[in-house]
Amino acid sequence: MFFALIESSRSALISIYAHGLRSFLTTLGIVIGVASVIAVVSVTQGMSSFIGDTFATLGSNSLTIRSFTPFEDQMKGIRARLTPEDMELIEKRGEGIASITPVLYATRSSQIKYGSQTAFSQIMGTTYAFQEVSQSYISIGRFLAQSDNDTRRRVAVIGEKVRENLNLPDNPINEYVEIGGEWFKIVGMLEPKGEIMGQSQDDMVLTPYNTMRSLLGNQTRADISIQLSLTETADAENVSQQLTTLLRNAHDLASDEDDDFVIQTAEQLMETFDTIINMVTIVIGGIVSISLLVGGIGIMNIMLVSVTERTREIGICKAIGAKRHHILLQFLIEALLLSLLGGLVGLGIGYGLGTLISNSIPSFPPANIPLWSVGLALGFSGFVGVLFGILPAAKAANLDPIDALRYE
Amino acid sequence: MALIELSGITKYYEMGDQVVKALDGIDIAVEKNDYLAFIGSSGSGKSTMLNILGCLDKPTTGEYHLNSKNVEALDANELSEIRNLEIGFIFQSFNLLPRATALGNVMQPLVYRGIGLSKRKEMAMEALNRVGLGDRTDHLPNQLSGGQRQRVAIARALVTNPSILLADEPTGNLDSKTTIEIMQLFDELHSEGHTLIVVTHEDEIAQHCRRIVEMKDGKVFNDSTSHSAKVSH
Ligand SMILES: Nc1ncnc2c1ncn2[C@@H]1O[C@H](COP(=O)(O)OP(=O)(O)OP(=O)(O)O)[C@@H](O)[C@H]1O
Ligand SMILES: [Mg+2]
């Protein structure tokens, strides 16, 4: 059997080589199909492995709670709000919470100045707990301290991007920047985190929560968001359920009213991204399978022509002793090799294409071909070859020797 | 029991409402190591006869026993095996593989015997040398003359060292010198113990044979054992 396989492969290769151009055109469908699969998969996989990496550094067991105003209420001028009291409540009654911090975003005054340099950044008021909750650590200097908050000190911790934008020195500690007309002393710098989808994670300025509250003035209207990290054993789903009940009660929501807040986990966010990417992969994969199918039909068509063309040859081979399986194997292997060769060429082109796409778009993650997609593409083209090769091969193998010999 | 036994063999072709009786009731027995010539006018059924003897074609009616085996009872693969192991067939129209070289053509039957490449080459070269074509091994059939093609076909039939050699006009395209060489080869094979069945219309060829069967309209017209050849059974 092994011997027959080798002999069949040998004659199949000779035959493929003898009809070089035809073989190439025959496999074009497979080539294009596989090339597009690989290009799409390499780009999306590059994207998703990058996103996965990034979210892992973000702290996967953290929750963010924000106020949320449904569109209808916005039209009526109603604003949902999370208050410091909500946070106190959660701190006191919430279960499975390791640390918790309020985050107050500077709304109007997101401008920051250093000398003559002005930049816009995300300016937030938060506490020392932010460090653990958001997995943001210090590279130089120190983080915000409890005492900074208690005494409303005018200090700031900045991200790498802010330092660049403001042309601050490499070590910006003890430099002063202007935020909302007030001077802040830089006490620390965050470790760079890079970008997610082209958005810098290092473009932020952290100031003490209480300092920010006094800066914003109107304290009763303050709408904070709350970030918290969970204990090892806590389940994000359970905790967010419990917090939902807690906040709904505190906000006096009737059972038919929607939540006026959202609880988000980092994992959820990542899953959303992943879902989108997988959707794209599946949809394009589906389209591409159709093109592979068409490629397979092309191979079957040419193989049928080839069988007819070689009827006399088949007759001769049978007359000198070829059994059914000899002929069957030869044509089956020819179809298999054709589509596998097409698959290999497609693999190369697809990889080149994927690399080209991700290289030509700046800040796009590098293309990444997972092994499964190589296996899948080759497996699928091989499968197509066998599937569509069986009919022509069986037709050849079943020819009657004397009829085949008489065929003109 | 004889090596080949045909009884009541017919081969009919229906052409519209007309029936062509290519073979019309053949009873014949061929002993092992026989040396037989089929002669007869064109269309008398000689090639049809040879196709049935070579297990390529099946008779319309009648029984064919080869080596005491009823050929009718064998399936396609078993027939292939017999053609490969027992029979060497030299076709009237050569039937060479057009995309294989002379050497490739001669090696091909050995592929179906499961013989490895180097051994195949060796055996094929030997057969080609025997028919005097050792210097044309890399030529494709369309690069060979008619006589050379015929010799490739003969080499292909010989290479498997078959016990039965069926030849349909094996010298039809050869000059008289080569014809004599080929007939000497056939005589040699006969003395080595092979059974030879040759279709021919040339008297000199037929004279080499021990037994001459003349066919006419699908029937055996005359069956004679010549005096010159030795009787071996
Ligand atoms: N496939 C076929 N279909 C119809 N008729 C056929 C077929 N094959 C052979 N015949 C007929 O059978 C008869 C015998 O043919 P065959 O080829 O056996 O003759 P032959 O004796 O070999 O002749 P030649 O000496 O010219 O080769 C012929 O009349 C031919 O027309
Ligand atoms: Mg004939």
Side-chain angles (χ1 to χ4, degrees):
Chain A
M1 193 62 193
F2 184 66
F3 177 83
L5 264 173
I6 292 183
E7 290 304 328
S8 310
S9 310
R10 196 204 306 278
S11 53
L13 274 174
I14 290 172
S15 165
I16 289 172
Y17 181 74
H19 300 284
L21 181 64
R22 183 209 276 189
S23 303
F24 172 71
L25 291 176
T26 305
T27 56
L28 212 56
I30 300 277
V31 170
I32 293 171
V34 170
S36 11
V37 171
I38 294 299
V40 168
V41 166
S42 69
V43 169
T44 52
Q45 284 305 305
M47 214 139 69
S48 90
S49 73
F50 175 79
I51 288 170
D53 288 351
T54 318
F55 275 100
T57 67
L58 225 61
S60 59
N61 67 337
S62 69
L63 289 180
T64 305
I65 311 170
R66 272 186 245 282
S67 65
F68 170 74
T69 315
F71 186 68
E72 276 175 45
D73 287 357
Q74 279 183 33
M75 299 300 284
K76 291 180 209 154
I78 303 171
R79 287 246 166 256
R81 191 164 293 122
L82 277 182
T83 62
E85 288 73 45
D86 288 330
M87 157 137 167
E88 267 166 49
L89 179 76
I90 291 170
E91 215 172 352
K92 235 182 280 160
R93 308 253 314 266
E95 282 159 24
I97 296 167
S99 43
I100 182 165
T101 182
V103 177
L104 187 56
Y105 290 93
T107 42
R108 293 151 297 180
S109 51
S110 54
Q111 226 182 49
I112 176 166
K113 286 185 197 167
Y114 173 69
S116 58
Q117 208 72 28
T118 306
F120 288 88
S121 183
Q122 193 168 53
I123 301 168
M124 328 185 243
T126 187
T127 66
Y128 69 97
F130 183 82
Q131 189 169 204
E132 194 203 315
V133 167
S134 70
Q135 311 269 300
S136 306
Y137 297 103
I138 283 298
S139 64
I140 2 177
R142 63 170 180 86
F143 203 78
L144 304 172
Q146 183 63 48
S147 64
D148 292 332
N149 204 26
D150 293 343
T151 58
R152 300 184 180 181
R153 223 172 258 145
R154 302 250 153 94
V155 292
V157 171
I158 63 168
E160 170 64 25
K161 189 86 182 166
V162 180
R163 190 195 62 74
E164 269 174 42
N165 288 347
L166 288 178
N167 279 338
L168 278 155
D170 280 347
N171 185 348
I173 306 300
N174 292 334
E175 298 291 333
Y176 281 85
V177 289
E178 194 190 330
I179 301 170
E182 304 282 345
W183 290 99
F184 283 76
K185 186 167 91 171
I186 297 174
V187 294
M189 244 183 65
L190 296 168
E191 266 176 5
K193 278 190 171 182
E195 299 183 340
I196 298 183
M197 303 302 291
Q199 259 209 319
S200 173
Q201 300 302 295
D202 304 315
D203 192 5
M204 53 162 78
V205 177
L206 306 177
T207 64
Y209 171 67
N210 283 332
T211 313
M212 180 62 81
R213 276 183 74 173
S214 65
L215 200 71
L216 290 180
N218 197 345
Q219 289 181 20
T220 49
R221 294 200 147 268
D223 176 25
I224 63 171
S225 72
I226 300 165
Q227 287 193 12
L228 50 90
S229 64
L230 304 178
T231 56
E232 296 271 317
T233 52
D235 175 58
E237 200 56 39
N238 288 344
V239 172
S240 98
Q241 209 111 72
Q242 192 228 344
L243 294 183
T244 303
T245 320
L246 216 58
L247 283 174
R248 282 187 70 91
N249 285 338
H251 291 189
D252 285 330
L253 292 179
S255 58
D256 61 336
E257 278 178 293
D258 290 331
D259 293 346
D260 59 355
F261 55 89
V262 280
I263 302 179
Q264 237 174 7
T265 63
E267 218 158 321
Q268 257 174 8
L269 217 60
M270 190 168 98
E271 273 165 19
T272 313
F273 271 115
D274 261 2
T275 313
I276 293 170
I277 284 171
N278 285 342
M279 284 285 283
V280 171
T281 310
I282 287 169
V283 167
I284 296 185
I287 295 170
V288 159
S289 323
I290 292 172
S291 93
L292 277 183
L293 223 63
V294 173
I297 292 170
I299 285 187
M300 176 160 73
N301 194 18
I302 292 296
M303 290 302 296
L304 281 172
V305 170
S306 177
V307 168
T308 308
E309 228 178 46
R310 280 146 68 181
T311 300
R312 261 184 78 88
E313 268 179 66
I314 295 163
I316 294 167
C317 288
K318 287 204 147 184
I320 59 177
K323 292 182 181 171
R324 288 196 65 229
H325 74 262
H326 290 120
I327 307 289
L328 189 84
L329 264 183
Q330 181 181 336
F331 281 89
L332 207 55
I333 285 179
E334 199 171 318
L336 180 70
L337 284 181
L338 263 181
S339 51
L340 275 184
L341 284 177
L344 275 176
V345 172
L347 205 66
I349 295 178
Y351 181 67
L353 222 62
T355 313
L356 202 75
I357 290 172
S358 47
N359 283 353
S360 59
I361 302 173
S363 86
F364 210 80
N368 171 18
I369 301 187
L371 216 58
W372 63 260
S373 72
V374 175
L376 197 75
L378 289 185
F380 200 73
S381 43
F383 172 73
V384 164
V386 170
L387 184 73
F388 290 100
I390 278 179
L391 184 74
K395 192 186 163 205
N398 288 335
L399 283 174
D400 185 60
I402 196 76
D403 290 341
L405 276 174
R406 288 206 183 106
Y407 183 85
E408 297 290 338
Chain B
M1 204 169 190
L3 176 66
I4 289 171
E5 283 200 356
L6 301 183
S7 53
I9 294 286
T10 63
K11 183 71 187 178
Y12 297 158
Y13 294 105
E14 284 185 41
M15 310 294 289
D17 41 57
Q18 196 191 350
V19 176
V20 178
K21 297 182 173 178
L23 293 179
D24 193 15
I26 304 276
D27 300 287
I28 208 172
V30 180
E31 295 297 334
K32 200 169 182 324
N33 196 221
D34 212 341
Y35 195 178
L36 184 150
F38 279 111
I39 60 170
S41 56
S42 181
S44 56
K46 305 184 296 293
S47 294
T48 309
M49 181 78 199
L50 223 54
N51 285 340
I52 287 173
L53 288 177
C55 299
L56 273 174
D57 210 351
K58 293 216 165 178
T60 309
T61 59
E63 274 189 27
Y64 172 17
H65 286 269
L66 175 65
N67 264 332
S68 320
K69 258 181 288 179
N70 187 355
V71 171
E72 205 184 352
L74 303 177
D75 66 20
N77 278 348
E78 288 166 326
L79 291 175
S80 284
E81 197 163 304
I82 286 182
R83 287 195 296 269
N84 188 242
L85 297 178
E86 312 276 354
I87 296 169
F89 209 118
I90 303 164
F91 294 93
Q92 193 168 12
S93 49
F94 319 138
N95 279 335
L96 299 179
L97 295 167
R99 294 180 299 134
T101 60
L103 186 68
N105 265 288
V106 179
M107 289 197 306
Q108 195 63 30
L110 301 174
V111 169
Y112 306 127
R113 276 198 187 179
I115 294 172
L117 181 64
S118 55
K119 179 77 180 151
R120 281 209 302 271
K121 265 199 181 121
E122 190 187 313
M123 290 169 78
M125 278 310 298
E126 200 182 301
L128 281 167
N129 282 329
R130 204 164 176 186
V131 297
L133 263 186
D135 55 343
R136 292 282 188 279
T137 54
D138 288 336
H139 287 58
L140 291 172
N142 61 11
Q143 297 165 335
L144 293 168
S145 74
Q148 287 168 335
R149 279 182 228 177
Q150 188 137 43
R151 281 185 279 167
V152 174
I154 294 170
R156 184 177 65 186
L158 292 182
V159 74
T160 55
N161 196 24
S163 59
I164 305 169
L165 202 68
L166 304 174
D168 200 345
E169 307 269 7
T171 58
N173 293 275
L174 301 180
D175 55 64
S176 55
K177 181 173 164 283
T178 326
T179 300
I180 291 167
E181 281 170 22
I182 294 297
M183 286 324 290
Q184 274 170 358
L185 178 62
F186 278 22
D187 291 347
E188 241 173 84
L189 291 167
H190 176 236
S191 63
E192 281 169 21
H194 296 260
T195 308
L196 279 85
I197 300 176
V198 183
V199 169
T200 186
H201 61 266
E202 289 171 73
D203 272 349
E204 310 99 82
I205 309 288
Q207 290 317 315
H208 277 260
C209 300
R210 204 185 60 82
R211 178 180 171 193
I212 298 172
V213 177
E214 188 180 351
M215 296 192 58
K216 196 175 179 185
D217 298 333
K219 291 191 170 77
V220 174
F221 181 65
N222 193 0
D223 187 347
S224 67
T225 304
S226 79
H227 327 287
S228 57
K230 62 178 175 32
V231 179
S232 62
H233 58 120

